[in-house]
Amino acid sequence: MVAFAPWARADPIGDLVDPPSDPAAYLPTPLGDPWFDAPAGFEAQEPGTVLNTRGVAVQPGTTSTQLLFRSTDSKNNPIAAATTVIVPDAPWTGGGPRPVVAYNEATDSLGNACAPSSTLPRGTNKEIDRMQDLLGRGYAVVATDYQGPRQAYSAGLVSGHTVLDGLRASHSAGVASDAPIAITGYSGGAIASGWAAQLAPTYAPELNIVGVAFGGPPTDYKILQRSLNGGIGSGLFTAATIGLSREYPEMRSLANDNGKRLALVQKDQCVDVLSYSGLLLFDQQNLSNVPNVFDHPITQAVVEENRMGQIKPEAPIYIYQGLQDFLIPKEGAEAVQDQWCAMGASVHLEEIPGDHTSAEVGGRPGAFDWISQRLAGAPAGGCERVVR
């Protein structure tokens, strides 16, 4: 079992001069809110078990509840994660139970203060308008801190586990256990959505997932190495590497002192700062103490374990992808569609004009309409690739 004791040393300057070897030093700083502290013995509970509950104010006309629940990290160890369940006050007028959408924000951050459980009650969540769209359709929204308690940005397994366990936990906050479920997210949120889709058949087969729609998916870090490392997207690529190392501390052995210093500087930063840091054009090789770090067995094993597309999802899938997206190239989405369809899954890939930012704006309406059709019981159309 991987365990990280709290990092007690309070000498940030000294740590930068002489970076510590303890992986716990590179974890996000706790918020100091005891609500997030899991009760003793929580590890023995089943995944999805609610450990703590509190009401929060998120959106007028809704009732919002935060839940701390038992989940599973990338190495199958028990963790406690949080989710925010937002349910419209107006009664559901459609047939059957109120549908629910797991909305996975592109958190893309390393700090605890950047997670939805922190930003939603403070009114600083950057994707609340997307959730408002879904709430306006009468759906309940479940916004999970899918990066887990270590804020493991870009780690696929923990993201999928926490999304699914957040949905399990939501049954205690007004979501019917047999409610039809859709899962959606863009960019970093697509990591969580895609992994939840492919893990669900074995990890949470009881959930009634009827459709998963995501866009701009970072599916394979070998592709991102070419498109992000050393370029304008290198700030997020570096942050993703730090996020992975929180789930796979063996990666820390590959970092030189400058790599460790950067991990200390970035460990509590949110996506905006991390994005702009790409102007420094970080190259992972310059932050490593081994030659050809991308060819190292540790790197290769972690990258392969976090490559989306190797497990067949049972729910129908809708992917949208910008044709001019040079940060997250379309070959990643195409490869996942090819793999999943070869296994017999139903995957629609919509390739639309735009870069990584504009494709989210242009592709989201179609994705949300597709979700609404699945939640209403309409069948999906099998495998097809449409280029707009």
Side-chain angles (χ1 to χ4, degrees):
M1 175 176 177
V2 178
F4 297 103
W7 181 249
R9 181 175 170 181
D11 182 14
I13 301 302
D15 288 345
L16 289 174
V17 172
D18 182 19
S21 58
D22 187 346
Y26 303 91
L27 297 180
T29 303
L31 294 176
D33 183 350
W35 186 87
F36 290 98
D37 298 337
F42 85 94
E43 298 90 346
Q45 301 296 321
E46 291 296 317
T49 300
V50 175
L51 307 173
N52 212 346
T53 303
R54 65 182 175 188
V56 291
V58 171
Q59 180 68 23
T62 68
T63 298
S64 300
T65 308
Q66 288 192 333
L67 306 170
L68 189 72
F69 59 91
R70 194 271 204 203
S71 193
T72 310
D73 71 5
S74 295
K75 296 195 173 187
N76 292 317
N77 297 309
I79 54 173
T83 194
T84 306
V85 182
I86 313 170
V87 181
D89 291 335
W92 170 248
T93 57
R98 183 192 302 274
V100 59
V101 178
Y103 184 83
N104 301 313
E105 175 192 2
T107 309
D108 300 359
S109 303
L110 294 171
N112 283 315
C114 319
S117 63
S118 180
T119 61
L120 284 168
R122 297 202 319 264
T124 59
N125 188 277
K126 57 189 172 58
E127 296 186 19
I128 187 63
D129 60 323
R130 280 76 157 173
M131 299 183 215
Q132 289 168 339
D133 184 336
L134 298 167
L135 292 165
R137 302 178 190 220
Y139 307 145
V141 170
V142 178
T144 296
D145 296 1
Y146 58 79
Q147 296 181 170
R150 302 183 194 112
Q151 299 304 328
Y153 167 38
S154 82
L157 284 162
V158 67
S159 298
H161 290 153
T162 51
V163 168
L164 296 170
D165 287 327
L167 286 164
R168 284 168 159 161
S170 73
H171 299 156
S172 73
V175 173
S177 60
D178 60 343
I181 296 168
I183 301 174
T184 191
Y186 189 80
S187 192
I191 298 174
S193 301
W195 275 90
Q198 61 181 15
L199 292 176
T202 54
Y203 187 79
E206 80 280 6
L207 294 177
N208 182 21
I209 301 171
V210 299
V212 180
F214 56 87
T219 62
D220 186 343
Y221 296 102
K222 290 181 180 178
I223 297 173
L224 304 184
Q225 172 196 337
R226 299 191 294 270
S227 64
L228 299 179
N229 186 53
I232 197 67
S234 62
L236 287 177
F237 187 68
T238 300
T241 302
I242 294 169
L244 277 174
S245 72
R246 291 172 169 179
E247 291 291 286
Y248 303 90
E250 61 268 27
M251 293 177 63
R252 187 62 51 203
S253 67
L254 307 180
N256 61 22
D257 280 353
N258 283 335
K260 293 175 182 177
R261 291 183 181 108
L262 182 61
L264 289 171
V265 170
Q266 290 192 334
K267 74 174 191 173
D268 292 317
Q269 291 178 358
C270 297
V271 60
D272 292 340
V273 173
L274 294 172
S275 296
Y276 284 117
S277 70
L279 295 172
L280 297 175
L281 306 181
F282 298 117
D283 187 330
Q284 290 293 314
Q285 189 57 58
N286 296 333
L287 303 173
S288 175
N289 61 14
V290 299
N292 304 316
V293 64
F294 294 112
D295 294 330
H296 192 279
I298 290 177
T299 304
Q300 291 186 330
V302 173
V303 165
E304 182 63 12
E305 184 162 294
N306 286 273
R307 180 172 61 84
M308 192 187 301
Q310 303 178 73
I311 308 168
K312 176 189 172 184
E314 289 184 358
I317 308 293
Y318 180 105
I319 306 174
Y320 58 106
Q321 169 70 44
L323 289 166
Q324 290 77 40
D325 190 341
F326 67 91
L327 295 175
I328 312 294
K330 65 185 181 71
E331 63 185 287
E334 292 174 344
V336 165
Q337 186 198 30
D338 288 342
Q339 286 182 284
W340 280 345
C341 286
M343 299 176 192
S346 170
V347 187
H348 176 100
L349 175 57
E350 191 89 0
E351 297 188 329
I352 62 176
D355 59 13
H356 194 62
T357 299
S358 61
E360 191 276 334
V361 177
R364 177 171 21 97
F368 279 16
D369 287 345
W370 183 90
I371 282 175
S372 291
Q373 293 167 12
R374 305 289 81 72
L375 291 173
C383 282
E384 56 183 353
R385 184 174 301 177
V386 177
V387 180
R388 300 295 180 189

